[in-house]
mmCIF file of all heavy atoms in Angstrom:
data_model
loop_
_atom_site.group_PDB
_atom_site.id
_atom_site.type_symbol
_atom_site.label_atom_id
_atom_site.label_comp_id
_atom_site.label_asym_id
_atom_site.label_seq_id
_atom_site.Cartn_x
_atom_site.Cartn_y
_atom_site.Cartn_z
ATOM 1 N N MET A 1 0.832 -1.132 0.061
ATOM 2 C CA MET A 1 -0.037 -0.045 -0.004
ATOM 3 C C MET A 1 0.841 1.259 0.014
ATOM 4 O O MET A 1 1.828 1.306 0.786
ATOM 5 C CB MET A 1 -0.918 0.043 1.235
ATOM 6 C CG MET A 1 -1.864 1.100 1.294
ATOM 7 S SD MET A 1 -1.198 2.758 2.050
ATOM 8 C CE MET A 1 -0.655 2.219 3.493
ATOM 9 N N ILE A 68 -4.720 -4.553 5.042
ATOM 10 C CA ILE A 68 -3.528 -4.359 5.778
ATOM 11 C C ILE A 68 -3.827 -3.554 7.030
ATOM 12 O O ILE A 68 -4.381 -2.409 6.880
ATOM 13 C CB ILE A 68 -2.345 -3.764 4.992
ATOM 14 C CG1 ILE A 68 -1.957 -4.606 3.844
ATOM 15 C CG2 ILE A 68 -1.112 -3.570 5.873
ATOM 16 C CD1 ILE A 68 -0.906 -3.914 2.940
ATOM 17 N N ARG A 69 -3.620 -4.005 8.233
ATOM 18 C CA ARG A 69 -3.866 -3.294 9.427
ATOM 19 C C ARG A 69 -2.564 -2.680 10.031
ATOM 20 O O ARG A 69 -1.634 -3.486 10.280
ATOM 21 C CB ARG A 69 -4.647 -4.142 10.463
ATOM 22 C CG ARG A 69 -6.026 -4.343 10.051
ATOM 23 C CD ARG A 69 -6.772 -5.332 11.022
ATOM 24 N NE ARG A 69 -8.178 -5.326 10.774
ATOM 25 C CZ ARG A 69 -8.799 -6.018 9.781
ATOM 26 N NH1 ARG A 69 -8.125 -6.775 8.934
ATOM 27 N NH2 ARG A 69 -10.154 -5.977 9.619
ATOM 28 N N LEU A 70 -2.624 -1.407 10.289
ATOM 29 C CA LEU A 70 -1.447 -0.695 10.840
ATOM 30 C C LEU A 70 -1.771 -0.300 12.219
ATOM 31 O O LEU A 70 -2.581 0.545 12.460
ATOM 32 C CB LEU A 70 -1.110 0.505 10.029
ATOM 33 C CG LEU A 70 -1.073 0.284 8.542
ATOM 34 C CD1 LEU A 70 -0.759 1.608 7.757
ATOM 35 C CD2 LEU A 70 0.166 -0.658 8.141
ATOM 36 N N GLY A 71 -1.055 -1.013 13.241
ATOM 37 C CA GLY A 71 -1.358 -0.592 14.635
ATOM 38 C C GLY A 71 -0.336 0.465 15.007
ATOM 39 O O GLY A 71 0.889 0.307 14.924
ATOM 40 N N LEU A 72 -0.820 1.628 15.389
ATOM 41 C CA LEU A 72 -0.005 2.809 15.613
ATOM 42 C C LEU A 72 -0.213 3.326 16.990
ATOM 43 O O LEU A 72 -1.293 3.329 17.549
ATOM 44 C CB LEU A 72 -0.341 3.879 14.637
ATOM 45 C CG LEU A 72 -0.085 3.612 13.128
ATOM 46 C CD1 LEU A 72 -0.620 4.675 12.295
ATOM 47 C CD2 LEU A 72 1.410 3.376 12.930
ATOM 48 N N VAL A 92 3.124 7.447 2.684
ATOM 49 C CA VAL A 92 2.910 6.387 3.550
ATOM 50 C C VAL A 92 2.991 5.087 2.803
ATOM 51 O O VAL A 92 2.338 4.899 1.806
ATOM 52 C CB VAL A 92 1.593 6.448 4.314
ATOM 53 C CG1 VAL A 92 1.504 5.288 5.360
ATOM 54 C CG2 VAL A 92 1.436 7.788 5.056
ATOM 55 N N CYS A 93 3.843 4.132 3.231
ATOM 56 C CA CYS A 93 3.987 2.881 2.561
ATOM 57 C C CYS A 93 4.054 1.771 3.590
ATOM 58 O O CYS A 93 4.691 1.796 4.569
ATOM 59 C CB CYS A 93 5.356 2.931 1.772
ATOM 60 S SG CYS A 93 5.666 1.324 0.858
ATOM 61 N N ALA A 94 3.225 0.696 3.243
ATOM 62 C CA ALA A 94 3.189 -0.494 4.101
ATOM 63 C C ALA A 94 3.135 -1.690 3.240
ATOM 64 O O ALA A 94 2.552 -1.777 2.122
ATOM 65 C CB ALA A 94 1.854 -0.418 4.987
ATOM 66 N N LYS A 95 3.833 -2.789 3.703
ATOM 67 C CA LYS A 95 3.981 -3.953 2.925
ATOM 68 C C LYS A 95 3.234 -5.125 3.726
ATOM 69 O O LYS A 95 3.065 -5.032 4.984
ATOM 70 C CB LYS A 95 5.388 -4.348 2.708
ATOM 71 C CG LYS A 95 6.156 -3.280 1.838
ATOM 72 C CD LYS A 95 7.466 -3.673 1.649
ATOM 73 C CE LYS A 95 8.323 -2.751 0.859
ATOM 74 N NZ LYS A 95 9.810 -2.998 0.659
ATOM 75 N N ASP A 96 2.964 -6.177 3.026
ATOM 76 C CA ASP A 96 2.267 -7.356 3.644
ATOM 77 C C ASP A 96 3.287 -8.017 4.707
ATOM 78 O O ASP A 96 4.464 -8.080 4.482
ATOM 79 C CB ASP A 96 1.990 -8.436 2.642
ATOM 80 C CG ASP A 96 0.803 -8.084 1.711
ATOM 81 O OD1 ASP A 96 0.128 -7.036 2.101
ATOM 82 O OD2 ASP A 96 0.616 -8.815 0.725
ATOM 83 N N ASN A 97 2.723 -8.333 5.881
ATOM 84 C CA ASN A 97 3.499 -9.006 6.929
ATOM 85 C C ASN A 97 4.696 -8.311 7.404
ATOM 86 O O ASN A 97 5.684 -8.844 7.812
ATOM 87 C CB ASN A 97 3.942 -10.501 6.320
ATOM 88 C CG ASN A 97 2.649 -11.275 5.936
ATOM 89 O OD1 ASN A 97 1.635 -11.208 6.618
ATOM 90 N ND2 ASN A 97 2.733 -11.879 4.827
ATOM 91 N N SER A 98 4.664 -6.924 7.259
ATOM 92 C CA SER A 98 5.870 -6.173 7.729
ATOM 93 C C SER A 98 5.502 -5.676 9.125
ATOM 94 O O SER A 98 4.317 -5.399 9.466
ATOM 95 C CB SER A 98 6.149 -5.020 6.749
ATOM 96 O OG SER A 98 7.106 -4.188 7.312
ATOM 97 N N ASP A 99 6.517 -5.429 9.979
ATOM 98 C CA ASP A 99 6.316 -5.023 11.301
ATOM 99 C C ASP A 99 6.626 -3.511 11.398
ATOM 100 O O ASP A 99 6.790 -3.016 12.469
ATOM 101 C CB ASP A 99 7.134 -5.770 12.357
ATOM 102 C CG ASP A 99 8.694 -5.597 12.058
ATOM 103 O OD1 ASP A 99 9.063 -5.047 11.073
ATOM 104 O OD2 ASP A 99 9.464 -6.100 12.942
ATOM 105 N N SER A 100 6.815 -2.844 10.240
ATOM 106 C CA SER A 100 7.099 -1.416 10.328
ATOM 107 C C SER A 100 6.377 -0.717 9.203
ATOM 108 O O SER A 100 5.913 -1.301 8.170
ATOM 109 C CB SER A 100 8.616 -1.121 10.137
ATOM 110 O OG SER A 100 9.024 -1.627 8.880
ATOM 111 N N LEU A 101 6.353 0.591 9.363
ATOM 112 C CA LEU A 101 5.630 1.467 8.398
ATOM 113 C C LEU A 101 6.621 2.521 7.925
ATOM 114 O O LEU A 101 7.330 3.096 8.734
ATOM 115 C CB LEU A 101 4.353 2.095 9.078
ATOM 116 C CG LEU A 101 3.765 3.323 8.317
ATOM 117 C CD1 LEU A 101 2.867 2.719 7.133
ATOM 118 C CD2 LEU A 101 2.867 4.071 9.278
ATOM 119 N N SER A 102 6.697 2.767 6.619
ATOM 120 C CA SER A 102 7.576 3.789 6.102
ATOM 121 C C SER A 102 6.803 5.056 5.966
ATOM 122 O O SER A 102 5.757 5.136 5.255
ATOM 123 C CB SER A 102 8.129 3.310 4.759
ATOM 124 O OG SER A 102 8.940 4.363 4.179
ATOM 125 N N LEU A 103 7.241 6.143 6.496
ATOM 126 C CA LEU A 103 6.590 7.442 6.351
ATOM 127 C C LEU A 103 7.553 8.519 6.009
ATOM 128 O O LEU A 103 8.595 8.716 6.595
ATOM 129 C CB LEU A 103 5.961 7.841 7.675
ATOM 130 C CG LEU A 103 4.874 9.014 7.775
ATOM 131 C CD1 LEU A 103 3.921 8.830 8.922
ATOM 132 C CD2 LEU A 103 5.661 10.304 7.938
ATOM 133 N N TYR A 114 10.920 8.168 7.918
ATOM 134 C CA TYR A 114 10.838 7.477 9.148
ATOM 135 C C TYR A 114 10.412 6.016 8.942
ATOM 136 O O TYR A 114 9.538 5.738 8.161
ATOM 137 C CB TYR A 114 9.829 8.157 10.123
ATOM 138 C CG TYR A 114 10.163 9.599 10.511
ATOM 139 C CD1 TYR A 114 9.763 10.635 9.715
ATOM 140 C CD2 TYR A 114 10.790 9.879 11.665
ATOM 141 C CE1 TYR A 114 10.125 12.024 10.102
ATOM 142 C CE2 TYR A 114 11.067 11.125 12.117
ATOM 143 C CZ TYR A 114 10.723 12.206 11.301
ATOM 144 O OH TYR A 114 11.025 13.448 11.707
ATOM 145 N N GLU A 115 11.010 5.160 9.708
ATOM 146 C CA GLU A 115 10.579 3.796 9.772
ATOM 147 C C GLU A 115 9.937 3.518 11.134
ATOM 148 O O GLU A 115 10.628 3.653 12.218
ATOM 149 C CB GLU A 115 11.676 2.824 9.658
ATOM 150 C CG GLU A 115 12.230 2.782 8.174
ATOM 151 C CD GLU A 115 11.262 2.306 7.175
ATOM 152 O OE1 GLU A 115 10.457 1.391 7.523
ATOM 153 O OE2 GLU A 115 11.331 2.734 6.009
ATOM 154 N N ILE A 116 8.675 3.336 11.255
ATOM 155 C CA ILE A 116 7.923 3.245 12.457
ATOM 156 C C ILE A 116 7.474 1.814 12.778
ATOM 157 O O ILE A 116 6.811 1.205 11.899
ATOM 158 C CB ILE A 116 6.649 4.222 12.334
ATOM 159 C CG1 ILE A 116 7.060 5.632 12.135
ATOM 160 C CG2 ILE A 116 5.907 4.177 13.644
ATOM 161 C CD1 ILE A 116 5.955 6.621 11.909
ATOM 162 N N LYS A 117 7.897 1.357 13.921
ATOM 163 C CA LYS A 117 7.446 -0.032 14.358
ATOM 164 C C LYS A 117 6.009 0.016 14.625
ATOM 165 O O LYS A 117 5.378 0.790 15.332
ATOM 166 C CB LYS A 117 8.234 -0.456 15.561
ATOM 167 C CG LYS A 117 9.716 -0.667 15.277
ATOM 168 C CD LYS A 117 9.941 -1.956 14.420
ATOM 169 C CE LYS A 117 11.388 -2.264 14.302
ATOM 170 N NZ LYS A 117 11.530 -3.540 13.470
ATOM 171 N N LEU A 118 5.303 -0.968 13.974
ATOM 172 C CA LEU A 118 3.955 -1.249 14.255
ATOM 173 C C LEU A 118 3.691 -2.003 15.580
ATOM 174 O O LEU A 118 4.496 -2.697 15.985
ATOM 175 C CB LEU A 118 3.292 -1.977 13.114
ATOM 176 C CG LEU A 118 3.389 -1.289 11.658
ATOM 177 C CD1 LEU A 118 2.844 -2.205 10.609
ATOM 178 C CD2 LEU A 118 2.715 0.050 11.625
ATOM 179 N N ILE A 119 2.491 -1.798 16.115
ATOM 180 C CA ILE A 119 2.199 -2.556 17.311
ATOM 181 C C ILE A 119 0.954 -3.422 17.042
ATOM 182 O O ILE A 119 0.139 -3.177 16.170
ATOM 183 C CB ILE A 119 1.812 -1.572 18.505
ATOM 184 C CG1 ILE A 119 0.749 -0.628 18.104
ATOM 185 C CG2 ILE A 119 3.117 -0.748 18.901
ATOM 186 C CD1 ILE A 119 0.356 0.357 19.264
#
Side-chain angles (χ1 to χ4, degrees):
M1 185 278 303
I68 297 176
R69 285 176 169 78
L70 310 176
L72 299 173
V92 183
C93 180
K95 299 179 181 179
D96 289 348
N97 303 316
S98 176
D99 63 351
S100 64
L101 169 73
S102 176
L103 194 152
Y114 295 88
E115 291 294 328
I116 301 173
K117 288 292 184 181
L118 300 175
I119 57 178

